[in-house]
Amino acid sequence: MSDLQELYQSLILDHNRSPRNFGVLDGADRHAEGYNPLCGDQVALDLKLDGDRITEIKFSGNGCAISKASASLMTTAVKGKTLAEAEALFTGFHGMVTGTAVPADPKATLGKLAIFAGVAEFPVRVKCATLAWHALHDAMK
Ligand code: ZN
């Protein structure tokens, strides 16, 4: 197994076992939900904004390890970011996992999220990995 695969597996397991920012946010400014019928993954997302900055974000729901780990990592990535910065991460992440627009240097552009690059090889898993991101995209509109 390559180093990247090992890192990928350990991060997925870690975030699946102890998801970050898990729960419901009281007094959220934005809310969105997503459902992936292919796998049965469900996610609900709450955001608090200060101007155009995401100050708080929480997710809840049920799903497979990849959907949960991706939601957890997404919340840690966009917390504290402006909506424009979060949108740029969404675009970069989406392009990478769908294989449609892979950033030249995923690690520089996406940080830890780059571990999901391998998902592009498993088309049925792409919707699991992008579910929370699509919910974020909806919540930001
Ligand atoms: Zn799934």
Side-chain angles (χ1 to χ4, degrees):
M1 207 167 22
S2 74
D3 288 353
L4 191 69
Q5 278 175 311
E6 268 178 51
L7 177 71
Y8 171 75
Q9 293 209 333
S10 65
L11 258 175
I12 300 265
L13 288 175
D14 174 36
H15 279 263
N16 181 47
R17 208 179 296 135
S18 42
R20 320 299 196 269
N21 305 307
F22 190 79
V24 174
L25 209 53
D26 286 331
D29 297 308
R30 304 281 180 93
H31 178 85
E33 290 174 18
Y35 176 57
N36 170 18
L38 291 178
C39 184
D41 309 316
Q42 297 175 325
V43 70
L45 207 58
D46 289 324
L47 266 66
K48 258 187 203 174
L49 301 175
D50 180 12
D52 72 342
R53 193 171 292 277
I54 300 168
T55 53
E56 297 260 19
I57 180 164
K58 283 200 174 193
F59 81 98
S60 56
N62 260 309
C64 67
I66 290 180
S67 72
K68 219 161 141 190
S70 179
S72 174
L73 273 157
M74 181 276 286
T75 61
T76 62
V78 303
K79 195 172 178 177
K81 297 273 196 300
T82 65
L83 293 176
E85 288 165 343
E87 185 67 28
L89 281 176
F90 166 79
T91 304
F93 184 84
H94 192 262
M96 178 182 74
V97 298
T98 55
T100 52
V102 182
D105 185 350
K107 221 163 163 231
T109 320
L110 297 166
K112 269 188 191 170
L113 301 171
I115 59 150
F116 284 95
V119 169
E121 291 164 40
F122 305 95
V124 292
R125 288 300 188 187
V126 170
K127 284 201 190 310
C128 302
T130 56
L131 181 65
W133 286 92
H134 282 294
L136 173 72
H137 193 63
D138 289 343
M140 292 195 299
K141 270 185 217 155

